[in-house]
Amino acid sequence: GPFGNDIVADPSRPGTWYLAANGVLKTRDGGRTWDNASQGFRSIEFVRTLAVAPSSADTLYAIGWDTFPICNSSDCPDLMIFRSVDGGAQWHGARVPDLDQGYLLSALAVDAVNPSIVYAGGPHVFKSTDGGVSWSRTAGSLRGGIESLAADPFTSGTLYAAVYVPRGRRVYKSTDGGATWKPASGGLSLDVWVGQVVADPRTPGTLYAATGRGVYVTKNGGALWTPMNEGWSEASVWSLALDPLRPGVLYAGRADGLFEYSGSPAAPR
């Protein structure tokens, strides 16, 4: 099968998921069968990440390159950000200006209320208010590469960023659409790197983080993070996903397999 880079769930339709690979694939039956959902990508060969708008399940965004994202001495891949408003049936793309190292752009988040407001992260945070047609760099002064972006699913203009800094990866929070950022890493020691942050779509203020020491959770918007690693080793977690139809169920991807958490971690699936 294809190499999978990212997977996101349709929050309103049971069993519907999207997979970023060489294009986009879509399943409506929980993964038993997959259909190509890449119409409009043209020459794009590699889709890095996907995001579904919380307020409009048929609105999706994707980051794609025309070649596998490795720079050589002469040039880097051509980067595009794509939008679909019909559940992946058709995509339309736009370039992000002022981004020399496009292969580093690898994070997406969509505003909780307005599906036309989308953020993209890489060496900086970029913002579009017209569905990805035009982009501008936010005024925020985050230092370091953006590893992950997560929009608060309840409050417009609030988002979280996992940021690579020299002594690790930290979490920051913005409540003004990316204009300003404040630390939101309470309880995370400097030697705990954070690779991905995901927001709970059912519980305000609750987010989960994939870290180098397992999974952490905050229930107060990043003021305090606590580990939730009882029953398994504190190994690096590379990816996290929440089950949109089963409250409290998480999936965690590690080097030794895929784990399901529902009160206590289960065996690898």
Side-chain angles (χ1 to χ4, degrees):
F3 178 79
N5 306 314
D6 195 14
I7 187 167
V8 296
D10 182 324
S12 62
R13 298 180 182 94
T16 297
W17 295 74
Y18 298 89
L19 177 70
N22 297 343
V24 175
L25 300 176
K26 181 178 182 178
T27 180
R28 296 175 175 85
D29 55 17
R32 286 185 291 274
T33 60
W34 293 86
D35 299 318
N36 192 304
S38 301
Q39 184 68 32
F41 277 109
R42 298 184 302 279
S43 63
I44 294 299
E45 294 185 3
F46 183 92
V47 178
R48 171 62 180 86
T49 191
L50 295 165
V52 178
S55 61
S56 175
D58 283 334
T59 300
L60 297 95
Y61 293 88
I63 293 174
W65 293 271
D66 59 348
T67 59
F68 192 82
I70 297 177
C71 283
N72 56 36
S73 58
S74 59
D75 60 359
C76 291
D78 191 12
L79 175 141
M80 299 281 284
I81 292 183
F82 290 83
R83 182 193 192 200
S84 173
V85 295
D86 51 17
Q90 181 72 37
W91 296 84
H92 299 277
R95 286 177 172 83
V96 181
D98 304 323
L99 192 63
D100 295 328
Q101 295 176 303
Y103 70 101
L104 291 176
L105 194 61
S106 58
L108 283 171
V110 188
D111 185 77
V113 175
N114 188 338
S116 293
I117 297 178
V118 60
Y119 303 88
H124 308 282
V125 177
F126 294 83
K127 180 178 182 180
S128 173
T129 59
D130 55 11
V133 176
S134 59
W135 293 83
S136 61
R137 187 182 301 183
T138 69
S141 57
L142 289 181
R143 297 287 183 264
I146 312 300
E147 299 283 330
S148 171
L149 288 173
D152 187 305
F154 298 92
T155 307
S156 180
T158 296
L159 61 157
Y160 298 82
V163 181
Y164 177 84
V165 293
R167 295 186 63 186
R169 297 186 180 109
R170 316 304 297 153
V171 180
Y172 290 84
K173 179 179 182 180
S174 174
T175 58
D176 53 14
T180 61
W181 295 84
K182 294 181 179 179
S185 301
L188 292 172
S189 60
L190 287 176
D191 59 347
V192 176
W193 62 259
V194 179
Q196 184 183 15
V197 176
V198 294
D200 189 324
R202 296 174 178 266
T203 310
T206 296
L207 298 97
Y208 301 89
T211 81
R213 291 188 178 179
V215 177
Y216 277 69
V217 62
T218 178
K219 297 182 179 180
N220 50 19
L224 176 65
W225 294 84
T226 56
M228 45 183 296
N229 297 315
E230 184 178 353
W232 68 347
S233 60
E234 293 186 354
S236 294
V237 174
W238 303 111
S239 60
L240 273 181
L242 294 172
D243 192 316
L245 301 173
R246 299 167 63 198
V249 175
L250 290 80
Y251 301 102
R254 307 197 312 188
D256 55 346
L258 176 65
F259 290 77
E260 177 182 322
Y261 179 95
S262 54
S264 60
R269 296 174 61 126

